[in-house]
Amino acid sequence: MTGPQGGTGDSAQRGHEHAVAWIRRWDDQQQAYMPDREDRFAALIDAVEAGAGRPDPLVLDLGCGPGSLAVRLLDRLPHASVIAVDADPVLLALGRAAWPGRSGLRFAELDMRDPGWSRGLGLDRQADAAVSTTALHWLTQPALTALYADLAAVLRPGGLLLDGDHLSEDEAVSPVLAVLGRALVERAARRRLPAGDAESWRGWWEAVAADPALADLLARRERLGLDSEHHGSAAGLLRTHVDALWAAGFTEVGTLWQRGENRLLCGVLGG
């Protein structure tokens, strides 16, 4: 496979360094969009630590990308097991090359748009928590509803869904709250990072496209159509997530942390 993983010895080390550099650049551009990204990571991991009920929780990281959240979680909870799930071959290859043999971490290439994707997790016990950051809003509303129903079958009773994302109020129902939520995030971003100083999400992917080592992986990604359903999806609305969680059997649903529309949504699965 062309990409940052292959080889042994010197070539493996070069692949590792290549992947680490790309992930550092990924984190930088994500931070530009979300100045409170690290605070949200910390709040999410606090919730796992406080709510899992054991020092060695089994955690599913949904839409894990290159593993930024998974690695931070394991840094804090070294006895945890994290299954990092994504369909993106580029980001998964970078994560696997950056953290080969990382204790407690396993990457799983699964497409959460596919019915029954959770059967591919290979679980030997029910998970204590499912976490996600800036990922689930990419799903269509039907796919998100199906995802939460699948999670209800693999989480233990009392297990947590923790989703950190920009989830806006429905403007048709709460127009003032929707506008204020966006304004708070945009103003915070302008205060912390002057416009034009950071690489954009699109710019990062354009740079990936120019890297010959990632060409085969990028071609696979394009065939999967991972970006095709993003814009205009109802999965960017808070109400969509809340309704889908209730329907899946989560008995408590609420926001644990919030900066405008940037929030940490929590669902607690009923017993």
Side-chain angles (χ1 to χ4, degrees), residues 46-82:
D46 283 343
V48 173
E49 187 173 22
R54 55 190 296 169
D56 59 343
L58 173 58
V59 182
L60 311 178
D61 181 6
L62 308 177
C64 64
S68 300
L69 170 60
V71 169
R72 285 164 173 78
L73 194 151
L74 287 167
D75 285 344
R76 175 92 73 83
L77 301 173
H79 300 298
S81 296
V82 179

Side-chain angles (χ1 to χ4, degrees), residues 6-242:
T8 58
D10 290 345
S11 63
Q13 180 60 28
R14 286 193 299 271
H16 168 75
E17 293 169 357
H18 186 231
V20 168
W22 273 115
I23 293 173
R24 186 178 298 116
R25 191 165 164 178
W26 168 269
D27 283 339
D28 286 346
Q29 60 89 8
Q30 291 283 293
Q31 185 72 23
Y33 279 111
M34 295 169 285
D36 297 312
R37 182 176 184 245
E38 294 296 335
D39 288 346
R40 194 176 69 186
F41 277 148
L44 187 155
I45 297 167
D46 283 343
V48 173
E49 187 173 22
R54 55 190 296 169
D56 59 343
L58 173 58
V59 182
L60 311 178
D61 181 6
L62 308 177
C64 64
S68 300
L69 170 60
V71 169
R72 285 164 173 78
L73 194 151
L74 287 167
D75 285 344
R76 175 92 73 83
L77 301 173
H79 300 298
S81 296
V82 179
I83 302 175
V85 180
D86 210 303
D88 192 316
V90 175
L91 299 180
L92 287 171
L94 292 175
R96 286 168 171 149
W99 295 292
R102 175 66 188 257
S103 178
L105 177 61
R106 173 165 65 89
F107 287 95
E109 187 168 351
L110 298 168
D111 193 333
M112 294 182 295
R113 299 172 299 178
D114 293 340
W117 65 271
S118 60
R119 291 193 294 272
L121 292 169
L123 301 182
D124 57 7
R125 66 179 176 92
Q126 290 180 303
D128 299 290
V131 301
S132 187
T133 55
T134 324
L136 300 185
H137 71 268
W138 287 80
L139 297 172
T140 63
Q141 184 173 358
L144 180 72
T145 300
L147 169 71
Y148 285 152
D150 281 345
L151 280 182
V154 298
L155 284 174
R156 64 166 175 79
L160 305 177
L161 176 281
L162 295 159
D163 181 27
D165 211 335
H166 283 66
L167 301 176
S168 61
E169 300 284 352
D170 187 340
E171 204 155 345
V173 177
S174 305
V176 175
L177 290 178
V179 170
L180 287 175
R182 287 194 297 272
L184 263 61
V185 172
E186 291 166 0
R187 291 179 182 218
R190 288 200 298 269
R191 281 196 298 271
R192 298 189 190 194
L193 187 75
D197 283 7
E199 183 173 41
S200 69
W201 183 89
R202 183 178 298 278
W204 189 89
W205 281 107
E206 288 172 351
V208 165
D211 186 340
L214 300 174
D216 287 353
L217 293 165
L218 188 65
R220 282 183 56 207
R221 182 181 193 274
E222 290 173 350
R223 287 195 295 272
L224 288 169
L226 295 176
D227 299 342
S228 62
E229 297 171 337
H230 174 42
H231 297 290
S233 170
L237 295 176
L238 174 63
R239 185 78 253 166
T240 300
H241 289 256
V242 172

